[in-house]
Amino acid sequence: MGNLLKESIESGTVIDKNGYPYLVCPILDGIPVMNPKVLRETIDLLKNIGQFDCDLILAPEAMSLPLAIPLALELEIPYSVIRKRPYGLDGEIEIGTTTGYSKSSMYINGLKGGERIVIVDDVVSTGGTLKAIIDALREIDCTVTEVLVAVDKSDDISAVSERLGVDVRAAVKLCVEEGIPKVN
């Protein structure tokens, strides 16, 4: 586990979003200011836990982008972004997503059946957003080989992996206890 990432997360602030304890910290929100050493450490942790047996890295907008782009550059694997707005391109896939504090739609463009995909994201909690993405990818005959996240906020990441039918691995495990973020 990375000490800089741990310190950055544990110095974050927990706010209430409609009864949901939401942690604000650079790796999850880009605020306050992201220390490049924390980002480098996080990228290295993700590289170490991932196999990257894929044709493409897929990154849900927005906070997965600072993670996916350096990985794509270093590993020379193409990447694509799951956007939060539609473009109306041929074959665009709309995905309805629900998090612990909101509902929205996301859009996938430009994928072809048969592609092997690694999803890189900033955080997993319930896995609801990931399930919607993975289900949509399976419908167009893409294979998700693994999901890599910087932060695991789930109750049980192995249960999330089992429910999704794909291995989900995290750089660090986060718990919020009495409004205090703790990295285990």
Short mmCIF file of all heavy atoms in Angstrom, two decimals, residues 5 8-9 22-31 34 62-64 67 101 121-124 150-153 174:
data_model
loop_
_atom_site.label_atom_id
_atom_site.label_comp_id
_atom_site.label_asym_id
_atom_site.label_seq_id
_atom_site.Cartn_x
_atom_site.Cartn_y
_atom_site.Cartn_z
N LEU A 5 -0.60 7.90 -0.81
CA LEU A 5 -2.02 7.76 -1.12
C LEU A 5 -2.82 7.64 0.18
O LEU A 5 -3.85 8.29 0.36
CB LEU A 5 -2.27 6.55 -2.02
CG LEU A 5 -3.73 6.26 -2.38
CD1 LEU A 5 -4.38 7.46 -3.07
CD2 LEU A 5 -3.80 5.01 -3.26
N SER A 8 -3.00 11.00 1.87
CA SER A 8 -3.86 11.90 1.12
C SER A 8 -5.33 11.60 1.39
O SER A 8 -6.14 12.51 1.62
CB SER A 8 -3.56 11.79 -0.38
OG SER A 8 -4.45 12.57 -1.13
N ILE A 9 -5.69 10.32 1.37
CA ILE A 9 -7.08 9.93 1.61
C ILE A 9 -7.48 10.24 3.05
O ILE A 9 -8.54 10.81 3.31
CB ILE A 9 -7.29 8.43 1.30
CG1 ILE A 9 -7.17 8.20 -0.21
CG2 ILE A 9 -8.63 7.94 1.82
CD1 ILE A 9 -7.12 6.74 -0.61
N TYR A 22 -19.80 11.08 2.00
CA TYR A 22 -19.01 11.24 0.78
C TYR A 22 -17.65 11.81 1.15
O TYR A 22 -17.56 12.88 1.76
CB TYR A 22 -19.74 12.17 -0.18
CG TYR A 22 -19.05 12.31 -1.52
CD1 TYR A 22 -19.38 11.46 -2.57
CD2 TYR A 22 -18.06 13.26 -1.72
CE1 TYR A 22 -18.75 11.57 -3.79
CE2 TYR A 22 -17.43 13.37 -2.94
CZ TYR A 22 -17.77 12.53 -3.97
OH TYR A 22 -17.13 12.64 -5.19
N LEU A 23 -16.59 11.12 0.79
CA LEU A 23 -15.23 11.57 1.08
C LEU A 23 -14.73 12.46 -0.04
O LEU A 23 -14.74 12.06 -1.21
CB LEU A 23 -14.29 10.36 1.23
CG LEU A 23 -12.80 10.70 1.37
CD1 LEU A 23 -12.54 11.50 2.65
CD2 LEU A 23 -11.97 9.44 1.34
N VAL A 24 -14.28 13.65 0.30
CA VAL A 24 -13.67 14.57 -0.65
C VAL A 24 -12.16 14.51 -0.44
O VAL A 24 -11.65 14.83 0.63
CB VAL A 24 -14.17 16.02 -0.46
CG1 VAL A 24 -13.49 16.95 -1.44
CG2 VAL A 24 -15.69 16.08 -0.60
N CYS A 25 -11.45 14.03 -1.47
CA CYS A 25 -9.99 13.98 -1.43
C CYS A 25 -9.48 14.00 -2.87
O CYS A 25 -10.23 13.72 -3.80
CB CYS A 25 -9.49 12.76 -0.67
SG CYS A 25 -9.80 11.19 -1.48
N PRO A 26 -8.22 14.35 -3.08
CA PRO A 26 -7.71 14.54 -4.44
C PRO A 26 -7.89 13.34 -5.38
O PRO A 26 -8.27 13.52 -6.53
CB PRO A 26 -6.24 14.87 -4.22
CG PRO A 26 -6.20 15.49 -2.87
CD PRO A 26 -7.23 14.75 -2.07
N ILE A 27 -7.65 12.11 -4.92
CA ILE A 27 -7.71 10.97 -5.83
C ILE A 27 -9.15 10.68 -6.28
O ILE A 27 -9.37 10.17 -7.37
CB ILE A 27 -7.06 9.71 -5.21
CG1 ILE A 27 -6.68 8.71 -6.30
CG2 ILE A 27 -7.92 9.07 -4.15
CD1 ILE A 27 -5.57 9.15 -7.21
N LEU A 28 -10.13 11.07 -5.47
CA LEU A 28 -11.52 10.82 -5.80
C LEU A 28 -12.23 12.02 -6.43
O LEU A 28 -13.26 11.85 -7.08
CB LEU A 28 -12.30 10.38 -4.56
CG LEU A 28 -11.78 9.12 -3.86
CD1 LEU A 28 -12.61 8.83 -2.61
CD2 LEU A 28 -11.76 7.94 -4.80
N ASP A 29 -11.70 13.22 -6.21
CA ASP A 29 -12.40 14.42 -6.64
C ASP A 29 -11.52 15.44 -7.37
O ASP A 29 -12.05 16.38 -7.94
CB ASP A 29 -13.02 15.12 -5.42
CG ASP A 29 -14.01 14.21 -4.74
OD1 ASP A 29 -15.10 14.02 -5.29
OD2 ASP A 29 -13.67 13.67 -3.66
N GLY A 30 -10.21 15.29 -7.30
CA GLY A 30 -9.33 16.29 -7.91
C GLY A 30 -9.24 17.56 -7.08
O GLY A 30 -8.63 18.53 -7.50
N ILE A 31 -9.85 17.54 -5.89
CA ILE A 31 -9.74 18.66 -4.96
C ILE A 31 -9.55 18.10 -3.55
O ILE A 31 -10.02 16.99 -3.27
CB ILE A 31 -10.99 19.59 -4.99
CG1 ILE A 31 -12.26 18.78 -4.67
CG2 ILE A 31 -11.12 20.30 -6.30
CD1 ILE A 31 -13.48 19.63 -4.48
N MET A 34 -4.15 17.99 -6.24
CA MET A 34 -3.53 16.66 -6.32
C MET A 34 -2.01 16.80 -6.35
O MET A 34 -1.46 17.47 -7.23
CB MET A 34 -4.01 15.93 -7.58
CG MET A 34 -3.25 14.65 -7.90
SD MET A 34 -3.31 13.39 -6.63
CE MET A 34 -4.87 12.67 -6.98
N ALA A 62 -15.45 11.04 -14.36
CA ALA A 62 -14.38 11.92 -14.70
C ALA A 62 -13.09 11.55 -13.97
O ALA A 62 -12.01 11.66 -14.52
CB ALA A 62 -14.74 13.37 -14.36
N MET A 63 -13.19 11.10 -12.71
CA MET A 63 -11.96 10.96 -11.93
C MET A 63 -11.14 9.72 -12.26
O MET A 63 -10.04 9.57 -11.76
CB MET A 63 -12.27 11.03 -10.43
CG MET A 63 -12.67 12.43 -9.98
SD MET A 63 -11.57 13.75 -10.58
CE MET A 63 -9.99 13.26 -9.91
N SER A 64 -11.62 8.88 -13.13
CA SER A 64 -10.78 7.77 -13.58
C SER A 64 -9.81 8.22 -14.67
O SER A 64 -8.82 7.55 -14.92
CB SER A 64 -11.64 6.62 -14.09
OG SER A 64 -12.37 7.03 -15.22
N LEU A 67 -6.16 8.54 -13.95
CA LEU A 67 -5.57 7.22 -13.73
C LEU A 67 -5.38 6.47 -15.04
O LEU A 67 -4.33 5.87 -15.29
CB LEU A 67 -6.46 6.39 -12.79
CG LEU A 67 -6.82 7.04 -11.45
CD1 LEU A 67 -7.86 6.21 -10.71
CD2 LEU A 67 -5.58 7.26 -10.62
N TYR A 101 -25.51 8.19 -3.92
CA TYR A 101 -26.07 9.53 -3.71
C TYR A 101 -26.68 10.15 -4.96
O TYR A 101 -27.14 11.29 -4.91
CB TYR A 101 -24.99 10.46 -3.15
CG TYR A 101 -23.75 10.53 -4.02
CD1 TYR A 101 -23.64 11.45 -5.03
CD2 TYR A 101 -22.72 9.64 -3.83
CE1 TYR A 101 -22.54 11.48 -5.86
CE2 TYR A 101 -21.60 9.67 -4.64
CZ TYR A 101 -21.52 10.59 -5.64
OH TYR A 101 -20.41 10.62 -6.45
N ASP A 121 -11.12 2.68 -12.72
CA ASP A 121 -11.99 3.67 -12.08
C ASP A 121 -11.34 4.15 -10.78
O ASP A 121 -10.39 3.52 -10.29
CB ASP A 121 -13.37 3.06 -11.81
CG ASP A 121 -14.49 4.09 -11.81
OD1 ASP A 121 -14.20 5.31 -11.82
OD2 ASP A 121 -15.66 3.68 -11.80
N ASP A 122 -11.87 5.24 -10.26
CA ASP A 122 -11.31 5.79 -9.04
C ASP A 122 -11.78 5.03 -7.80
O ASP A 122 -11.01 4.83 -6.87
CB ASP A 122 -11.60 7.29 -8.91
CG ASP A 122 -13.08 7.62 -8.86
OD1 ASP A 122 -13.88 6.91 -9.49
OD2 ASP A 122 -13.43 8.62 -8.20
N VAL A 123 -13.04 4.58 -7.78
CA VAL A 123 -13.59 3.99 -6.56
C VAL A 123 -14.67 2.97 -6.89
O VAL A 123 -15.35 3.07 -7.90
CB VAL A 123 -14.17 5.10 -5.64
CG1 VAL A 123 -15.34 5.82 -6.29
CG2 VAL A 123 -14.55 4.59 -4.27
N VAL A 124 -14.78 1.97 -6.02
CA VAL A 124 -15.92 1.05 -6.05
C VAL A 124 -16.56 1.07 -4.67
O VAL A 124 -15.86 1.03 -3.65
CB VAL A 124 -15.52 -0.39 -6.46
CG1 VAL A 124 -14.57 -1.03 -5.47
CG2 VAL A 124 -16.74 -1.25 -6.67
N ALA A 150 -8.71 2.62 -7.73
CA ALA A 150 -7.76 3.17 -6.77
C ALA A 150 -8.22 2.89 -5.34
O ALA A 150 -7.42 2.53 -4.48
CB ALA A 150 -7.59 4.67 -6.99
N VAL A 151 -9.54 3.06 -5.09
CA VAL A 151 -10.06 2.99 -3.72
C VAL A 151 -11.25 2.03 -3.65
O VAL A 151 -12.20 2.16 -4.41
CB VAL A 151 -10.49 4.39 -3.24
CG1 VAL A 151 -11.07 4.33 -1.83
CG2 VAL A 151 -9.32 5.38 -3.30
N ASP A 152 -11.18 1.13 -2.71
CA ASP A 152 -12.28 0.20 -2.43
C ASP A 152 -13.04 0.70 -1.21
O ASP A 152 -12.50 0.72 -0.10
CB ASP A 152 -11.71 -1.20 -2.16
CG ASP A 152 -12.74 -2.17 -1.60
OD1 ASP A 152 -13.95 -1.92 -1.76
OD2 ASP A 152 -12.31 -3.19 -1.01
N LYS A 153 -14.29 1.14 -1.42
CA LYS A 153 -15.18 1.54 -0.33
C LYS A 153 -16.25 0.50 -0.07
O LYS A 153 -17.16 0.72 0.71
CB LYS A 153 -15.86 2.88 -0.66
CG LYS A 153 -14.97 4.08 -0.55
CD LYS A 153 -15.68 5.36 -0.92
CE LYS A 153 -16.99 5.58 -0.23
NZ LYS A 153 -17.63 6.85 -0.60
N LEU A 174 -10.70 1.57 1.85
CA LEU A 174 -11.12 2.71 2.64
C LEU A 174 -12.33 2.36 3.49
O LEU A 174 -13.27 1.72 3.02
CB LEU A 174 -11.49 3.88 1.72
CG LEU A 174 -12.23 5.05 2.35
CD1 LEU A 174 -11.34 5.81 3.33
CD2 LEU A 174 -12.75 5.99 1.28
#
